[in-house]
Every structure is written in C-alpha cells, then in structure tokens.
Amino acid sequence: MKISARNVIKGTVVSVDKGSTTAHVKIEISPGQVITASITNEAVDSLKLVAGGPAYAVVKASDVMIAVD
C-alpha cells in the first residue's frame, strides 16, 4: 500500500456496526486505544472488514482542534 497521508496507524477491527447507509468501524490500535471511523456500508463490503481482521486507520486532517474544561 502506498498513500500520501502521514498518519497511518495499524490495528485490529474490533467491531463493524452497519446502519442504513453508513457503518461505524472501531479499530484497536493498542490495548484500550480505539479509533472509530464512519464509512459507507459499500466501503465496508469492498474492504471486507470484519471483527478480528487487520486494518489501518488513516488520518488526514487539515485542522486540529483542542479543547479544555
């Protein structure tokens, strides 16, 4: 795989929850650390994402927001 994004994090799919058009995919990148992505159901099927399978979280952001309480 070649990609221009610099933030590519390998992990394991822990769940795929499909809705009517989009799915929430949770990827554990280290014990207790989970990244959640919303992608289309079509993308889930095309990538053959299933719980327990390997996947990469690719983060491409032009803005980063920070907040405090």
Side-chain angles (χ1 to χ4, degrees), residues 6-36:
R6 294 179 187 242
N7 302 307
V8 179
I9 307 163
K10 189 172 184 175
T12 302
V13 176
V14 292
S15 67
V16 178
D17 296 317
K18 284 186 171 182
S20 58
T21 59
T22 60
H24 292 126
V25 180
K26 294 183 184 238
I27 299 174
E28 186 172 49
I29 58 171
S30 65
Q33 299 293 309
V34 176
I35 293 177
T36 303

Side-chain angles (χ1 to χ4, degrees), residues 52-66:
Y56 295 88
V58 180
V59 180
K60 179 77 173 172
S62 58
D63 296 307
V64 176
M65 299 172 70
I66 300 173

Side-chain angles (χ1 to χ4, degrees), residues 32-56:
Q33 299 293 309
V34 176
I35 293 177
T36 303
S38 295
I39 64 174
T40 64
N41 289 335
E42 184 178 334
V44 168
D45 295 339
S46 175
L47 295 169
K48 298 180 173 124
L49 295 175
V50 294
Y56 295 88

